[in-house]
Amino acid sequence: MVGGLLLMGALAFMLPVGAAFVSHGLIQSFANCYRAYRLRHAIHWPIIARYTIASAGAALVMTLLSWQ
């Protein structure tokens, strides 16, 4: 957590705030995807499948509720 704060501080020091936010998001996304790739053997895939199905269902319900 502190690493992300330090990264954001360094980026905000060197870049405009908007560009720092976008850069921080891209760097963190790459880091998280790489970490998931490296630890893929430890991922319990049935949990990911259930989470994905439930998230898709919730998105569908929200879409139907907001339909106008």
Side-chain angles (χ1 to χ4, degrees):
M1 185 118 176
V2 174
L5 289 171
L6 290 173
L7 174 63
M8 189 62 208
L11 289 172
F13 181 73
M14 295 185 296
L15 299 170
V17 174
F21 271 108
V22 172
S23 300
H24 183 265
L26 289 172
I27 292 168
Q28 289 294 112
S29 294
F30 179 78
N32 290 339
C33 289
Y34 180 70
R35 187 176 303 118
Y37 173 75
R38 291 286 309 256
L39 296 172
R40 67 188 178 278
H41 64 279
I43 295 174
H44 193 59
W45 291 105
I47 292 175
I48 302 297
R50 287 192 303 247
Y51 181 82
T52 302
I53 291 168
S55 296
L60 178 64
V61 168
M62 293 305 293
T63 301
L64 292 174
L65 287 175
S66 66
W67 183 264
Q68 295 181 9

